[in-house]
Amino acid sequence: MQGGRRDSRHGQLVRRGFTEPATAERLLSAQEFDEVRADTQLLDAFGATADPDLALHGLVRLVEAQEDPQRLLDTLLASKPLRDRLLGVLGVSEALGDHLARHPDDWQALATYERRDLHPGVEEFEAAVRPATDPDDLRHRYRRALLSIAARDVCGTSDLAQTAGELADLAAATLRAALSLASAEAPEDAAACRIAVIGMGKCGGCELNYVSDVDVIFVAEPADGTEEAAALQAAGRIAARLMRICSDTTAEGTIWPVDANLRPEGRNGPLVRTLYSHLAYLNRWAKTWEFQALLKARPVAGDMALGEAYAEAVAPLVWQASERENFVPDVQQMRRRVVENIPAAQVDRELKLGPGGLRDVEFAVQLLQLVHGRTDAALRSPTTLAALDALATGGYVGRQDAAALDSAYRFLRTLEHRIQLHKMRRTHLMPEDEADQRRLGRSLGYRSDSVNELHKTWRKHAAAVRRLHEKLFYRPLLDAVAQLDVGEARLSPRAARQRLEALGYADPAGALRHLEALASGVSRKAAIQRTLLPVLLGWFADSADPDAGLLNFRKVSDALGTTPWYLRLLRDEGAAAENLARVLSAGRLAPDLLMRAPEAVALLGDEGGLRPRAREALTQEVLAAVGRAADAESAVAAARGVRRREMFRTAAGDLIGAYGTEELPTEDPAAAVDRIGAALTGINAATLAGALRAAVRSRWGDELPTRFAVIGMGRFGGHELSYGSDADVLFVHEPREGVSEEEAGKAALAVATELRRLLQLPSSDPPLVVDADLRPEGRSGPLVRSLESYAGYYRRWAAAWESQALLRADPVAGDEDLGRRFTELIAPVRYPADGLSEDSLREIRRLKARMESERMPRGADSTTHAKLGRGGLADVEWTVQLLQLQHAAGAEDLRTTRTRAALAAAREAELIDPEDAETLDEAWLLATRVRNAVMLVRGRAGDTFPSDARELGAVGRYLGYPEASGSGEMLDDYRRVTRRARAVAERLFYGAAD
């Protein structure tokens, strides 16, 4: 019975969302919880929190800190409002749990609420924090007030706008208290000046975050009888002390950094200025971004009369800013600069600065305010949501668009708040840990499948923001100078905008600027462009990213516009223009390669120009280029140049084959995958041959003291490279006659090291990473071995995983005879005469299971991870390789490094059911195409589908899914195909049928 009760309690905890029920049982078994541990109301309250485990830990710490824990527990059971508030806060914020453990009486701030306290303002917060006697007391009082705001937020008593407003009001009250403390510490300075604190940014806009810099500007005037210089010095000391009180970190933590860098001249300017000095600077020197920032300015502390005078004086300047020359381009450039400065690794996690983020909404709203607010005072609210509502009411934004932006902004800001609440840290990045994402999802009300629901909703809102932001932010009416004036142009400016929007261009104003630059004037070049552009625009519009297509076309045209053959090629060779349009609008990789070598556009007009070149011809060209180079670095640069051109040839042919043209149908995907894998393998093999030749020449001239070969491994040896694959290799050497083992070994190590160094030199080209980790003993073993050393090692020590890895070994560069003898040497290792022993079979299965559990990226969806996920590349390849290890000794056709060829041979040998073979082949092809598509679209390697809607759409187009059908069908098909492949792998690899 006792065990049954434990099981029952365990089940109750699991049903209420505890992820560590055993730990929860142990915590609840403490003596203090004797009378409450079985209370279903308390358990239900835990279950309603974002993180029941975190809430319980926080409550235990709080109870342990109480002098009278029973009072807290009795009140908790008796008062549902306290139960909801306290546990709600503890379940979402570890930092506020720490605060309560440090100040165990502060829970009483949540025990009772009068109606007037439900939505306090500056006066109520000031009453709470102003009595502070020193900075630490202020920090404590601030955190206690923050606790009540968080409780109202988490329990839904306050919505996003009210919460952000309360945080701004608390900040104002805290600044007033800090100013009072600073003035009390220096009464002589306080008597010498009048000082006002102007709230800026989110503080000024009454929309502050939980953890954020508080932006301010200081303005001061002399007190009666005080010299201005002395008064400003006194005000500067008080302002600096105020900033330190708020920013310093002590045992009580910190309040927040006070940032005064929005002042005139930024951090290089004086901290405090008079009102006259502020206005003089703004009238003469201020830049566009400074007026945009001042849209949020409001007095929050100090001499409020002086603050109001400042606000009244700068307001006319703010609302005249849109009349400044280049105003709209300036604001757009600021937005672009923000996006460009986001680290690439963080773009997909950015809530604020990334595409479809909070900054998109704020910038769009502020720009519309500044443009239209000069004549419509109703638009002049410093608060984003209020301003958005006013824009919709005034007809400047469509009501549906405004409602979508409002909903997305509220969601993103609430998500940002929940992320910050956990540790009370300033961040706007989605956490990577799945447990953190689960807590976030539950805090937003997603109780079942919380992580997926969170990401689904986030992607939906981000996509809406991005679409609407482009529609609003770049709308042509914002920039009256963007008018098409091309003399013979076939489209009027109005018709051009209408057509661009109808074709799906997200940035019609930008598109018009490109068209104007391309087609203006009376030159022959402009006349040809005017002939081409109407057709090109249609081809661009048929892609997932028309704007990128047009922009890339302008870049190529700028680079080649003076070249006589370029426009003639596009005009006279119909296929060239359409091919270029497809390539420029299908993703990042091909255009990036083309921009570094624009002359490669000539390949698009040659009927055979997109067919991969033979490996032998490529190697010959690379070695000739290396031979002409003055030094090793120049030689490798030349080899990289050939690689760049050939990668563009391959990528362009791939994209055009996947999309099809008006003349040619789409290519068979299986043939395309085989062709691309072989082409990329040949390109990288030729590059390695060139780097090897350069490394040898730099020190030894024409002949190395030892024969040297590079053996391709993994997908390289299998002739199955994708665009982002590393080059897995082994290095083998054999001393020449008369050369000692020691001398030969040193030479071989030196050339292998130099080869890798040369290929790692900084370059704007896609990297070619040479990875030798599959060598004997892995990273712990020598980088290079002699043929004899390999023979000795494999004879005595070869492990099952090494036999498996050698299935893909194929010489790719260096001494051909040595490479051939290496493959002869390893034949009995990779094709064991007696197949696999039971021990080896168990070891391989154990390694596969370990790889599945340890190498899958945290938070990745195992159903859509192309390499390690369910039914992905690893499942298929390990299944095929197991068949090779077991049967290749007696079935010669199985002795191939290529996955699909080995699978076909196994089918012919009746080692696998034809239907199973087809299932595995289909999944392998699809996963390979997804990896290629991601690299083509994003310009960087990836094993998962992009989360960005436009990029996902581009991947879908590559895989043959029309944009109108959305991405859902593509993902459903991928999961269906790989689910079937996993079932086959479970049966054939793991022996599930047994």
Side-chain angles (χ1 to χ4, degrees):
M1 288 296 293
Q2 191 173 359
R5 283 196 297 272
R6 278 200 301 271
D7 291 341
S8 175
R9 188 179 306 144
H10 182 97
Q12 289 176 354
L13 294 172
V14 170
R15 285 193 297 276
R16 287 172 171 84
F18 284 88
T19 59
E20 298 177 358
T23 302
E25 282 190 80
R26 179 176 56 79
L27 293 174
L28 286 170
S29 67
Q31 182 177 349
E32 293 87 346
F33 291 95
D34 281 346
E35 298 181 16
V36 302
R37 71 171 61 94
D39 188 282
T40 56
Q41 288 184 325
L42 182 62
L43 292 179
D44 287 344
F46 278 119
T49 66
D51 187 339
D53 300 273
L54 181 63
L56 178 56
H57 276 276
L59 181 61
V60 169
R61 292 177 64 203
L62 179 58
V63 168
E64 290 173 347
Q66 298 295 309
E67 291 185 6
D68 181 8
Q70 198 58 46
R71 179 181 171 224
L72 167 60
L73 292 172
D74 289 346
T75 311
L76 198 64
L77 288 181
S79 172
K80 184 179 186 304
L82 172 66
R83 202 160 55 238
D84 292 344
R85 295 179 202 125
L86 179 58
L87 296 184
V89 168
L90 291 174
V92 81
S93 178
E94 183 179 314
L96 290 177
D98 293 341
H99 170 84
L100 284 167
R102 197 165 55 246
H103 298 284
D105 291 338
D106 279 2
W107 66 269
Q108 297 175 60
L110 306 178
T112 58
Y113 279 147
E114 299 295 333
R115 181 175 294 276
R116 65 177 181 275
D117 295 328
L118 286 179
H119 300 296
V122 178
E123 292 75 16
E124 288 80 10
F125 286 125
E126 194 170 4
V129 299
R130 194 173 184 92
T133 56
D134 58 53
D136 266 351
D137 188 22
L138 177 59
R139 294 180 186 105
H140 172 203
R141 289 171 176 272
Y142 170 81
R143 196 57 65 97
R144 183 167 60 200
L146 196 68
L147 182 69
S148 67
I149 294 176
R152 288 189 290 275
D153 177 13
V154 171
C155 293
T157 307
S158 300
D159 66 12
L160 179 276
Q162 291 168 329
T163 299
E166 288 180 20
L167 289 167
D169 287 342
L170 176 57
T174 305
L175 287 168
R176 294 177 189 182
L179 181 58
S180 179
L181 289 174
S183 299
E185 291 179 15
E188 292 183 1
D189 285 344
C193 64
R194 299 164 56 210
I195 184 170
V197 184
I198 309 299
M200 301 288 287
K202 285 186 164 56
C203 177
C206 300
E207 51 189 11
L208 198 62
N209 291 328
Y210 279 99
V211 188
S212 173
D213 289 358
V214 169
D215 297 312
V216 300
I217 285 175
F218 296 105
V219 58
E221 295 292 340
D224 292 342
T226 306
E227 293 281 341
E228 182 176 295
L232 288 176
Q233 289 176 353
R237 288 190 290 269
I238 290 176
R241 178 58 182 150
L242 177 152
M243 294 174 71
R244 286 196 299 274
I245 289 171
C246 295
S247 304
D248 283 351
T249 301
T250 70
E252 285 293 340
T254 188
I255 300 176
W256 16 246
V258 175
D259 188 342
N261 288 338
L262 291 177
R263 65 186 184 270
E265 301 180 78
R267 63 184 61 191
N268 297 320
L271 183 60
V272 181
R273 289 176 182 258
T274 63
L275 177 55
Y276 175 83
S277 176
H278 275 286
L279 294 176
Y281 171 86
L282 291 172
N283 279 305
R284 187 169 184 184
W285 303 111
K287 298 180 176 63
T288 299
W289 71 263
E290 292 175 280
F291 292 109
Q292 185 180 7
L294 284 169
L295 189 153
K296 303 282 190 181
R298 70 179 176 103
V300 294
D303 189 313
M304 296 303 286
L306 177 58
E308 292 291 350
Y310 174 91
E312 291 176 9
V314 302
L317 302 179
V318 171
W319 301 113
Q320 293 164 13
S322 61
E323 299 173 2
R324 293 165 56 92
E325 188 177 357
N326 296 325
F327 166 75
V328 170
D330 281 352
V331 177
Q332 293 173 346
Q333 184 56 41
M334 290 189 308
R335 168 64 195 148
R336 293 190 195 102
R337 195 176 299 122
V338 168
V339 173
E340 289 165 2
N341 289 338
I342 303 172
Q346 296 181 355
V347 168
D348 293 338
R349 297 169 53 213
E350 266 284 354
L351 298 179
K352 180 178 180 181
L353 304 179
L358 291 163
R359 186 61 59 89
D360 278 352
V361 181
E362 293 162 357
F363 260 65
V365 169
Q366 289 168 26
L367 182 56
L368 288 165
Q369 280 184 278
L370 291 172
V371 169
H372 301 294
R374 59 180 172 174
T375 56
D376 189 343
L379 304 181
R380 297 179 183 179
S381 170
T383 306
T384 300
L385 290 175
L388 182 58
D389 182 65
L391 286 165
T393 301
Y396 302 102
V397 175
R399 287 199 171 276
Q400 288 186 341
D401 291 349
L405 281 177
D406 182 279
S407 175
Y409 188 76
R410 287 176 185 273
F411 172 82
L412 292 170
R413 281 296 304 275
T414 302
L415 183 55
E416 182 183 35
H417 280 182
R418 296 290 193 270
I419 293 171
Q420 292 181 345
L421 266 173
H422 183 221
K423 297 280 191 181
M424 278 299 172
R425 290 178 184 162
R426 181 189 178 198
T427 180
H428 27 78
L429 293 176
M430 173 69 76
E432 296 179 289
D433 185 76
E434 187 171 357
D436 289 334
Q437 294 180 12
R438 177 179 179 270
R439 184 188 62 256
L440 288 174
R442 284 175 59 89
S443 78
L444 296 173
Y446 308 131
R447 286 296 189 259
S448 61
D449 201 14
S450 53
V451 173
N452 285 335
E453 284 298 314
L454 171 66
H455 280 276
K456 180 180 176 182
T457 309
W458 178 26
R459 287 193 296 269
K460 180 190 76 173
H461 284 301
V465 169
R466 191 171 188 186
R467 175 178 57 82
L468 294 171
H469 163 258
E470 291 165 343
K471 185 177 176 182
L472 301 175
F473 193 63
Y474 297 103
R475 188 174 289 281
L477 61 89
L478 298 181
D479 193 352
V481 302
Q483 295 184 11
L484 201 59
D485 182 15
V486 296
E488 299 175 25
R490 302 186 180 186
L491 298 175
S492 70
R494 182 178 179 184
R497 281 195 294 271
Q498 290 173 339
R499 177 166 182 187
L500 288 167
E501 289 181 334
L503 288 170
Y505 284 77
D507 176 15
L512 281 176
R513 288 195 294 274
H514 299 321
L515 292 177
E516 182 181 28
L518 289 164
S520 293
V522 295
S523 68
R524 183 171 177 272
K525 179 177 74 172
I528 295 175
Q529 289 281 24
R530 287 196 293 273
T531 302
L532 290 169
L533 279 167
V535 182
L536 286 169
L537 291 174
W539 284 326
F540 291 145
D542 191 39
S543 73
D545 196 346
D547 300 82
L550 182 54
L551 172 61
N552 289 330
F553 177 68
R554 180 178 173 185
K555 288 179 179 178
V556 174
S557 295
D558 287 346
L560 295 175
T562 58
T563 307
W565 56 264
Y566 167 63
L567 289 176
R568 190 168 61 244
L569 170 76
L570 298 183
R571 182 192 62 191
D572 299 339
E573 298 288 341
E578 185 177 3
N579 289 345
L580 181 62
R582 301 300 185 197
V583 167
L584 293 181
S585 57
R588 296 181 185 176
L589 179 64
D592 286 350
L593 291 167
L594 183 59
M595 297 311 165
R596 298 185 193 114
E599 65 279 359
V601 76
L603 298 173
L604 301 173
D606 181 358
E607 186 174 342
L610 298 180
R611 283 199 290 268
R613 296 176 63 201
R615 176 168 159 184
E616 296 74 20
L618 275 180
T619 303
Q620 187 175 1
E621 179 184 1
V622 168
L623 293 179
V626 167
R628 292 190 296 269
D631 53 43
E633 286 76 11
S634 302
V636 168
R640 280 174 161 169
V642 175
R643 179 172 182 259
R644 180 195 316 128
R645 183 198 66 213
E646 295 305 316
M647 283 192 71
F648 171 74
R649 186 197 306 272
T650 304
D654 186 7
L655 289 166
I656 292 165
Y659 272 63
T661 65
E662 293 179 359
E663 301 279 330
L664 298 171
T666 57
E667 186 178 7
D668 171 50
V673 166
D674 291 343
R675 178 176 54 79
I676 294 157
L680 293 172
T681 300
I683 293 166
N684 285 351
T687 307
L688 274 177
L692 176 59
R693 175 70 61 85
V696 172
R697 276 184 51 205
S698 66
R699 182 169 171 183
W700 294 278
D702 292 331
E703 186 174 276
L704 194 65
T706 185
R707 296 180 181 85
F708 190 94
V710 183
I711 311 298
M713 300 288 286
R715 303 180 74 78
F716 195 13
H719 300 253
E720 297 163 351
L721 287 179
S722 57
Y723 293 102
S725 296
D726 293 348
D728 293 316
V729 301
L730 299 178
F731 297 114
V732 59
H733 78 100
E734 183 181 66
R736 297 186 186 276
E737 286 184 21
V739 179
S740 68
E741 284 280 349
E742 182 179 2
E743 180 186 353
K746 288 181 178 178
L749 177 60
V751 79
T753 303
E754 176 66 357
L755 179 150
R756 298 175 83 192
R757 182 191 74 82
L758 291 171
L759 289 173
Q760 288 172 357
L761 291 172
S763 169
S764 58
D765 292 315
L768 176 54
V769 179
V770 177
D771 187 339
D773 289 349
L774 291 175
R775 63 187 183 268
E777 301 175 79
R779 295 182 182 178
S780 303
L783 180 63
V784 187
R785 287 178 182 263
S786 68
L787 187 64
E788 184 178 343
S789 175
Y790 274 108
Y793 176 88
Y794 287 134
R795 186 168 56 250
R796 296 185 62 191
W797 306 110
W801 73 265
E802 290 174 304
S803 296
Q804 182 184 1
L806 288 172
L807 287 169
R808 312 264 259 169
D810 196 40
V812 293
D815 191 295
E816 293 182 8
D817 180 67
L818 178 60
R820 178 186 55 76
R821 285 187 287 128
F822 178 86
T823 58
E824 292 173 354
L825 164 71
I826 63 172
V829 182
R830 59 178 172 177
Y831 310 133
D834 299 322
L836 277 181
S837 67
E838 283 299 317
D839 286 345
S840 295
L841 180 59
R842 279 194 298 271
E843 175 66 10
I844 288 175
R845 286 172 172 170
R846 187 186 66 80
L847 284 172
K848 175 70 163 65
R850 180 179 170 189
M851 182 182 72
E852 290 178 5
S853 64
E854 294 180 0
R855 293 183 59 189
M856 176 73 73
R858 179 172 292 181
D861 183 353
S862 64
T863 68
T864 57
H865 196 279
K867 182 176 181 181
L868 302 175
R870 180 193 70 189
L873 294 173
D875 274 351
V876 177
E877 289 168 0
W878 283 59
T879 301
V880 172
Q881 289 160 17
L882 184 63
L883 291 172
Q884 289 181 282
L885 289 168
Q886 290 172 323
H887 304 288
E892 189 171 342
D893 287 346
L894 274 175
R895 300 176 194 174
T896 174
T897 63
R898 294 162 170 81
T899 301
R900 297 190 68 222
L903 185 58
R907 177 178 177 171
E908 285 296 314
E910 298 183 347
L911 298 172
I912 184 173
D913 182 81
E915 186 174 336
D916 288 345
E918 185 176 344
T919 297
L920 294 179
D921 188 59
E922 183 183 12
W924 189 90
L925 285 170
L926 181 56
T928 300
R929 295 186 71 215
V930 167
R931 294 181 90 203
N932 282 338
V934 170
M935 183 69 177
L936 286 166
V937 169
R938 306 187 70 189
R940 59 180 186 271
D943 293 313
T944 59
F945 289 88
S947 59
D948 177 83
R950 179 166 287 181
E951 291 179 344
L952 188 62
V955 169
R957 293 296 299 273
Y958 175 89
L959 295 177
Y961 293 84
E963 218 172 353
S965 69
S967 59
E969 182 184 354
M970 172 178 65
L971 293 173
D972 288 344
D973 286 351
Y974 181 89
R975 291 189 173 104
R976 175 182 53 79
V977 169
T978 54
R979 182 173 62 248
R980 292 170 53 208
R982 177 64 180 191
V984 174
E986 291 274 5
R987 193 157 26 84
L988 299 182
F989 184 87
Y990 288 110
D994 298 334

